[in-house]
Amino acid sequence: MVFRGEAPLWWLRALRPGFRHCLALLNDGRHWLVVDPLAPFTDVAVLDLPADHDLPGWYRDRGLTVVAAPLRRGLVRPAPWGPFTCVEAVKRLLGLHAPLVLTPWQLHRHLTRPVSSGP
């Protein structure tokens, strides 16, 4: 996941700086795909790059925050309802059912929180 801080829409300025938008980078083993859920449309691009290209590093080098996230497949229950935002679109791509995660900052915190190993 890539987190950006630009705020082209005035209401996004209320969100945490550096975490006003999110998009997904996916590697299928042969290609890099970028899924960028924007306000007017969702941009999906298959990039003409070798699969071993460090696309996450390219985004990091440009000052963006990049976090690896697992894809959750095989879920049988539907995702909880949520307003269609960049966060909701990315959560659906991941298969992440986290109804209280609504902003890019909350998504970042959810994806980077330590996983407890139990007692």
Side-chain angles (χ1 to χ4, degrees), residues 36-110:
D36 193 356
L38 301 165
F41 58 88
T42 298
D43 188 27
V44 179
V46 179
L47 303 181
D48 188 20
L49 297 169
D52 63 350
H53 178 77
D54 184 16
L55 188 58
W58 184 86
Y59 279 97
R60 274 190 206 96
D61 290 346
R62 278 143 189 80
L64 302 175
T65 301
V66 180
V67 174
L71 296 177
R72 296 164 175 93
R73 299 295 184 248
L75 299 171
V76 294
R77 72 183 197 280
W81 181 90
F84 189 75
T85 64
C86 60
V87 173
E88 192 62 31
V90 167
K91 287 173 16 183
R92 297 291 176 114
L93 281 171
L94 295 175
L96 176 61
H97 293 186
L100 299 179
V101 173
L102 300 173
T103 69
W105 173 243
Q106 290 171 331
L107 179 61
H108 176 269
R109 285 184 35 211
H110 183 86

